Amino acid sequence: MGAWRPRRVRHDPRRRPVTDPARSAALETLAAVRERGAYANLVLPGLLRDKRLKGRDAAFATELTYGTCRAQGLLDAVIEDASGRPVADIDGPVLDALRLGVYQLLRTRVGAHAAVSETVDAVKATAGRGASGFANAVLRKVSKDDEDTWVSRVAPPAADDLLGHLAMQYAHPRWIAEAFWESLRANGINSMGQLQALLASDDSRPPVHLVARPGEISAEELALIVEGETGRLSPYAVYLPGGDPGALDPVRDGLAGVQDEGSQLVARAAAVAPLEGPDGGRWLDLCAGPGGKAALLGSLAAIDDARVDAVEPAEHRAELVRKAIRGLPVDVHVADGRASGLEPGYDRVLVDAPCSGIGALRRRPEARWRKQPSDVAGLTVLQRELLTAAAELTRPGGVVLYATCSPHVAETLGIVGDEELLAAAGLERIDTRPLVPETDLPLGDGPHVQLWPHLHGTDGMFFQALRKLP
């Protein structure tokens, strides 16, 4: 390929690649993710509507977009090996197209000729003939081998560094694979085969989970309407076989929502955890945005004649909570949960703490490449402060339900297993496993619950119930 280096090109969003609408939608989404840190799941639906993509075309665009975002680390390693230069030296629009092209070659059934020619045409339209020649050479080199061969070339040898090999094979930053492994072992799972299964599950596109709003519709009724399947763990969960959940009548009418089954279990646990003394009907969601758990908690509160205060410090996220809880006995407060100004005495407090989110990476395909291990230290400080504030707001005999969508030990057992922190807050751990409906799926030795994508089919949710001491 010589010594040609791609020229820097100013990206003009008005220029559209000369390629089919599905690939065009994917490329425009990838550009938004790269250029302004956008979220693919927020950008792509609008592009699908603008381009009037439906059915198979919409599904193809979705697979290309999310798959490319999810596999970015592996794709970049392959591109660097095939091109002989760092991806940082490749112009952004060219890199977007190369990632999309390599993804098609390695992880889809798209024919090599179509994947190469469509990508080269897109590069030519956005970056010129020289860049298209570069892209053509890279893609043709990639197309000569399959994914397994490329993984063996760019990943550390499994015999020397199995964890590093698996991290590359299943497109995870090494530090996240290490965090998963540490958490598995902390939860009594010492098999590297389990780590491989976890990474493989996290590297696949997850099914859509719906939540049937209690008091409005049952999971069985919802499943019949949407032609889905009732969940295995949550009594409100329905697994959607495909399609756009936002287009479903029950979702549009507020009878159901989109929510991972693990998140449903967290909200339910907060509502059913055993109290000492009567339930006075004062419930609190201390970290409510964007509102999914607040809505389910509010639905359960309506049945129990309780009322929920929902706290969210950011106004735009508080507005999302207001939309989610419309018509429910929930009051939204724009405040910092560490200093909410609310009157103590709550029976139930949910602390769905801000966290690294590494347990929900399969639903946020670009997130794994943005997060850094240094993020965790600041979050654990916040998590401790929120748990302390929650304890101060809880009445003696009441319950705090601490949860994260991260299995990272520092954010989970490192918080609720800190005896000094719990003693200072006046909290004691109670067995949380009975708060999950009866199941034959493994829930570990307790007293907490750690859910896993490969074992439970949920996000990697962690939750621990804590009782406020007299």
Side-chain angles (χ1 to χ4, degrees), residues 173 175-176 356 358 367-379 408 411:
W175 77 270
I176 291 180
S356 65
I358 64 172
R368 69 188 65 186
W369 309 111
R370 292 178 176 171
K371 299 181 182 297
Q372 301 295 328
S374 57
D375 298 340
V376 175
L379 288 167
H408 198 297
E411 300 181 277

Side-chain angles (χ1 to χ4, degrees), residues 416-450:
V416 299
D418 186 332
E419 299 296 345
E420 290 186 6
L421 173 65
L422 297 188
L427 297 171
E428 66 175 357
R429 291 185 296 274
I430 59 177
D431 193 351
T432 309
R433 293 170 297 171
L435 306 184
V436 176
E438 186 175 349
T439 176
D440 57 359
L441 297 176
L443 292 178
D445 297 330
H448 62 277
V449 171
Q450 175 65 66

Side-chain angles (χ1 to χ4, degrees), residues 102-173:
V102 173
Y103 178 77
Q104 292 172 74
L105 289 170
L106 299 186
R107 289 197 163 189
T108 75
R109 296 181 180 179
V110 174
H113 176 76
V116 173
S117 62
E118 288 282 352
T119 303
V120 170
D121 287 346
V123 172
K124 185 183 295 183
T126 57
R129 186 174 299 276
S132 70
F134 167 73
N136 182 65
V138 172
L139 292 171
R140 289 192 179 280
K141 184 173 182 179
V142 173
S143 69
K144 293 178 180 179
D145 293 305
D146 61 13
E147 181 182 358
D148 290 342
T149 303
W150 275 108
V151 167
S152 68
R153 187 175 299 164
V154 300
D160 299 332
D161 182 5
L162 181 55
L163 188 146
H165 184 90
L166 293 175
M168 180 64 75
Q169 180 180 356
Y170 297 107
H172 282 71

Side-chain angles (χ1 to χ4, degrees), residues 247-418:
L248 298 172
D249 287 339
V251 175
R252 288 204 304 259
D253 295 340
L255 303 178
V258 179
Q259 186 176 42
D260 181 79
E261 190 173 18
S263 294
Q264 298 175 37
L265 292 174
V266 166
R268 180 184 182 275
V272 302
L275 307 175
E276 291 183 351
D279 189 337
R282 290 192 69 203
W283 299 3
L284 173 63
D285 184 349
L286 198 60
C287 312
K293 295 182 184 70
L296 180 51
L297 203 59
S299 296
L300 295 171
I303 295 172
D304 288 351
D305 198 26
R307 194 160 192 93
V308 181
D309 285 309
V311 176
E312 168 54 47
E315 174 57 41
H316 71 283
R317 285 171 62 86
E319 183 58 29
L320 294 176
V321 179
R322 294 186 192 102
K323 292 178 180 178
I325 56 85
R326 190 173 292 118
L328 296 171
V330 180
D331 300 307
V332 180
H333 306 265
V334 180
D336 188 323
R338 294 168 293 183
S340 64
L342 296 173
E343 186 70 23
Y346 287 94
D347 301 281
R348 305 178 183 277
V349 179
L350 171 60
V351 183
D352 180 26
C355 66
S356 65
I358 64 172
L361 294 178
R362 61 188 192 143
R363 299 194 186 278
R364 300 163 188 167
E366 68 286 305
R368 69 188 65 186
W369 309 111
R370 292 178 176 171
K371 299 181 182 297
Q372 301 295 328
S374 57
D375 298 340
V376 175
L379 288 167
T380 57
V381 172
L382 175 60
Q383 290 154 2
R384 289 167 180 269
E385 292 172 346
L386 285 167
L387 184 57
T388 298
E392 293 172 351
L393 291 167
T394 307
R395 69 163 176 82
V399 169
V400 176
L401 198 289
Y402 176 85
T404 65
C405 56
S406 165
H408 198 297
V409 171
E411 300 181 277
T412 56
L413 298 176
I415 302 296
V416 299
D418 186 332

Side-chain angles (χ1 to χ4, degrees), residues 141-215:
K141 184 173 182 179
V142 173
S143 69
K144 293 178 180 179
D145 293 305
D146 61 13
E147 181 182 358
D148 290 342
T149 303
W150 275 108
V151 167
S152 68
R153 187 175 299 164
V154 300
D160 299 332
D161 182 5
L162 181 55
L163 188 146
H165 184 90
L166 293 175
M168 180 64 75
Q169 180 180 356
Y170 297 107
H172 282 71
R174 183 188 179 94
W175 77 270
I176 291 180
E178 289 174 341
F180 285 170
W181 179 229
E182 182 184 6
S183 182
L184 285 169
R185 288 185 296 167
N187 283 277
I189 302 174
N190 295 298
S191 164
M192 287 295 285
Q194 287 289 313
L195 175 62
Q196 181 172 8
L198 169 57
L199 293 171
S201 178
D202 213 42
D203 190 33
S204 61
R205 185 179 176 187
V208 175
H209 291 178
L210 300 180
V211 56
R213 301 292 187 209

